[in-house]
Each structure stands twice: as C-alpha cells, then as structure tokens.
Amino acid sequence: MSSDQPGRVAAFEQIAALLDYPMYVVTTGTDDQLSGCLVGFTSQVSISPQRFLVGLSKRNRTYRVARDAGHLGVHLIPRRHRDLARLFGSETGDDVDKFAHCGWRPGPHGVPVLADAAGWFIGTILGRHDLGDHVGHLLEPVAGEAPQRFEQLVTFADVRDLEPGHEA
C-alpha cells in the first residue's frame, strides 16, 4: 500500500457521501418467488445499444432470487411515495412479504411492476459481474413506462437513515 492510499480512500468516501443519487426499487420473479429491494448502485452504461447496470448485494434475498431470474424491473419512486422505498429498503423478504404491503401487478416476463412507481422498465439480464460485495446485473431494456417528466424522486438523502434489511 502506498503512503497516500489512506488519503485517496478517505477522499473517495467523502465524495461518495456527498452525492445524492436517485434510489431505485428493483424487482424480480421466478416461477415460485417474487422479490424486490431498494438499490442505490445503478447506472446507464451504454446509449447504443441501451444498457443499464444494477448492483445487488450478495447478502440480499433479491440477489438470491435474481440468480435464477432472466429479468429485473427497475422502478423510480416519487418522493411522495417514499414509504414504498422505505418498505423495500428496510424490510427483508426473508421475513416480510413486501408485495402484500403495496400495490403491484405482474409485468412483462413475470416481473412485478409497482403501482406507485414514477416510471419503470424491465430489462433482460445479459450478464452478471462480481463487483465486490455486490453483483452487477447488466440489463437490456425490453419494456417500460415513463411519464413526460418526473416529479421529485426518492434520492439517497431521503433514505440515508434506513436500517437495511440486510447489511451490504
């Protein structure tokens, strides 16, 4: 380790702590299971072809269900429905049926679509990549709904105080 490594790590941690990323609820389903969780590690990674990367914690039930799934649903949540983000961020599907506590419908490819989402898309999982304590799921969008413009969305600042259902 070089002598300036601790300073670089501290700088990165401070920069990351100051950012206020949008938060997403990611859902998935298999023949016998539905799952969903609040996710902050996401990014569009290509314009053409369209690609989006979702990081799921290896400790999370949604990650375990997603290992056998072919698709993920990615939902933006309006701030007025932050209770939905809190449900999917502070409860674990190991103990709570989150879908019994919110409005949803079966979407394309059997993926749950949340009724109170501001916008959503379903993506085919093209690949899975070990990223450390998370696994990146590379998605190709195949369906979705979007408004003409977004109202205020749930961001990291809105859920910073949550106790996660699982540690990261």
Side-chain angles (χ1 to χ4, degrees):
M1 173 180 348
S2 67
S3 61
D4 65 337
Q5 177 123 4
R8 287 194 311 250
V9 170
F12 172 77
E13 288 175 353
Q14 181 157 344
I15 289 168
L18 292 171
L19 295 173
D20 195 21
Y21 295 108
M23 300 296 290
Y24 298 82
V25 172
V26 173
T27 61
T28 192
T30 61
D31 289 338
D32 59 344
Q33 299 183 79
L34 298 179
S35 194
C37 65
L38 187 66
V39 174
F41 297 142
T42 61
S43 183
Q44 180 178 352
V45 295
S46 177
I47 296 169
S48 181
Q50 294 175 335
R51 299 289 186 263
F52 195 83
L53 187 71
V54 171
L56 295 176
S57 170
K58 293 176 183 177
R59 294 185 178 186
N60 192 296
R61 179 176 184 275
T62 302
Y63 162 71
R64 294 190 307 271
V65 174
R67 287 186 301 198
D68 296 322
H71 297 83
L72 296 179
V74 180
H75 303 79
L76 282 161
I77 307 301
R79 191 166 283 154
R80 65 188 166 93
H81 291 297
R82 75 183 68 167
D83 56 324
L84 187 61
R86 291 185 169 280
L87 169 67
F88 280 88
S90 64
E91 300 291 343
T92 172
D94 293 327
D95 300 327
V96 174
D97 177 359
K98 299 175 193 180
F99 296 95
H101 299 282
C102 68
W104 67 279
R105 64 178 172 80
H109 306 284
V111 176
V113 173
L114 302 177
D116 290 330
W120 60 270
F121 71 89
I122 305 295
T124 300
I125 301 171
L126 298 178
R128 293 171 175 88
H129 308 278
D130 190 316
L131 303 175
D133 57 7
H134 284 64
V135 171
H137 294 71
L138 183 62
L139 305 180
E140 176 182 33
V142 295
E145 291 180 7
Q148 292 298 312
R149 61 186 173 154
F150 287 120
E151 56 188 278
Q152 285 194 314
L153 299 172
V154 171
T155 65
F156 180 66
D158 296 312
V159 296
R160 184 182 307 265
D161 64 324
L162 284 183
E163 289 292 324
H166 283 286
E167 293 298 316

